[in-house]
Amino acid sequence: MFGNGNNNKLKIFSGRANRPLAEGIAKVLGVPLGRATLGDFPDQETSVRIDEDVRGRDVFIVQPTCTPVNQHLMELLIMLDAFKRASPARITAVLPYYGYARQDRKDKGRVPISAKLVANLITRAGADRVLALDLHAAQIQGFFDIPVDHLYAVKELAKHVRSLGIPQDELVVLSPDEGSIKKALDFQKNVGGQIAVANKQRTSATEIKHGHLIGAAVEGKRVVIYDDMISTAGTTVGAVNVAKHHGAKAVYVCATHGVLSGEAIKRLRDAPIDQLAITDSIPLPPEKQLPCIKVITVAALVANAIHRIHGNESISELFKDEPPIGK
């Protein structure tokens, strides 16, 4: 897609967390995926060896810190250390999914701010900059003392929703809780329709209780629920059930990160969801694949950002506001 013009010093490497995405990024950029040997010692310590010269190169390491989070995080840190000692010109940690992002503040006594700790670890391990996708909280960018480029998958997911051909007078974008209203509004700018919010009360770390709908009526409408991630799916399925209870004739769900932990797959399988669209920021293993799940790739989005970083061009150009749908 981009050709080889300014890519002669560009190197893309991948950890073991999501190699297919890294391969897709490299293909879009028109460069081969860098050669590195990753494995485990008999005692399960991570082994890393770079199999090509990276001196003076612009290195990008693709490694989402998804499940198993600690293993993939440690692998990223060891890769960063290995590359730092190989004298590249710059190292960028490409994090399609940032683990520990939900622990971003001290909301009760004697708890850690793990998102800040992980930022410190990545920086100290050797990263010169970070490229992240849909951080759970935007303020995490401030936890790093190095530049952070923050990407959003909203346009990729919005393009998919527009392809469904939902008439504008039938479309309602539903925020699954009050905390996701801004994300839902950004999404609605790209797909059109009306906006509504599902009132949520959390009863425990894994249990959610949904109540009323606020905003546009959903009776007889096609509802699209949008959020940045689906973890245990409690919030998502609760919002789906509320929409159905209020008369929605179809419910679609879009999320950037399909974490799908705990009881998520069972909940989603049993829920009245017409389609669930997630990106490939996190790999979807066979045991989590459901007929309703549609995977949207973010390889071109990340590749475009890498190309711009490598060429010292603006990333914000990728997210310039377009005229609202229907205006």
Side-chain angles (χ1 to χ4, degrees):
M1 178 178 175
F2 292 107
N4 292 322
N6 192 35
N7 289 347
N8 59 320
K9 287 184 175 280
L10 174 62
K11 291 285 187 179
I12 308 294
F13 289 86
S14 176
R16 290 177 289 181
N18 197 346
R19 188 175 176 89
L21 175 59
E23 290 172 343
I25 293 168
K27 182 177 181 181
V28 173
L29 287 167
V31 299
L33 195 62
R35 291 179 284 110
T37 301
L38 295 99
D40 297 305
F41 291 111
D43 61 356
Q44 299 305 304
E45 291 180 1
T46 299
S47 168
V48 173
R49 187 182 71 241
I50 307 165
D51 295 326
E52 59 183 274
D53 178 27
V54 295
R55 184 178 294 272
R57 303 302 179 94
D58 196 3
V59 170
F60 292 80
I61 304 172
V62 181
Q63 178 79 337
T65 51
C66 51
T67 304
V69 178
N70 294 341
Q71 179 179 324
H72 288 148
L73 174 59
M74 196 66 201
E75 185 172 275
L76 171 63
L77 299 176
I78 294 172
M79 290 182 73
L80 286 168
D81 186 75
F83 279 98
K84 180 178 68 172
R85 299 174 189 279
S87 302
R90 179 174 60 181
I91 305 171
T92 301
V94 181
L95 306 174
Y97 171 72
Y98 185 85
Y100 287 106
R102 283 170 289 183
Q103 299 179 46
D104 63 342
R105 62 195 181 278
K106 190 172 180 180
D107 55 356
K108 61 186 72 172
R110 298 176 299 279
V111 297
I113 305 179
S114 302
K116 170 61 174 169
L117 171 62
V118 170
N120 289 344
L121 290 170
I122 290 171
T123 303
R124 292 299 298 269
D128 295 302
R129 69 186 305 131
V130 165
L131 176 61
L133 175 66
D134 273 322
L135 291 168
H136 188 61
Q139 66 263 25
I140 291 173
Q141 297 173 77
F143 293 171
F144 287 89
D145 295 323
I146 55 177
V148 176
D149 291 301
H150 191 194
L151 303 180
Y152 303 91
V154 61
K155 291 186 183 297
E156 279 66 24
L157 291 168
K159 180 180 179 182
H160 170 69
V161 169
R162 291 196 298 270
S163 75
L164 298 175
I166 302 173
Q168 285 291 298
D169 60 352
E170 290 188 17
L171 176 62
V172 176
V173 175
L174 176 62
S175 173
D177 57 27
E178 296 88 339
S180 300
I181 292 175
K182 186 178 185 301
K183 298 186 184 86
L185 285 169
D186 288 342
F187 190 70
Q188 188 238 354
K189 287 180 183 178
N190 284 273
V191 298
Q194 295 177 291
I195 191 83
V197 182
N199 181 33
K200 179 188 82 171
Q201 293 180 343
R202 181 175 290 279
T203 56
S204 72
T206 57
E207 295 297 325
I208 300 294
K209 180 181 178 182
H210 276 85
H212 303 290
L213 276 181
I214 305 167
V218 300
E219 185 174 359
K221 306 287 187 179
R222 298 180 187 272
V223 171
V224 179
I225 297 171
Y226 177 75
D227 208 349
D228 65 318
M229 73 167 69
I230 300 175
S231 183
T232 61
T235 297
T236 300
V237 171
V240 169
N241 290 333
V242 168
K244 279 293 187 180
H245 177 73
H246 284 78
K249 67 178 179 181
V251 180
Y252 306 90
V253 178
C254 293
T256 302
H257 308 300
V259 179
L260 307 181
S261 58
E263 296 291 311
I265 293 301
K266 180 180 183 302
R267 287 171 175 162
L268 293 169
R269 184 185 292 115
D270 297 339
I273 298 174
D274 291 83
Q275 188 185 78
L276 166 60
I278 56 177
T279 77
D280 56 352
S281 65
I282 297 173
L284 185 68
E287 65 271 16
K288 292 185 178 181
Q289 293 176 7
L290 297 175
C292 68
I293 293 181
K294 169 78 172 178
V295 179
I296 311 296
T297 185
V298 289
L301 171 65
V302 178
N304 204 338
I306 289 174
H307 179 73
R308 286 176 172 272
I309 292 170
H310 180 62
N312 295 316
E313 300 175 23
S314 172
I315 296 293
S316 61
E317 292 291 319
L318 296 173
F319 305 106
K320 277 190 172 180
D321 287 337
E322 298 175 358
I325 297 296
K327 299 294 183 182

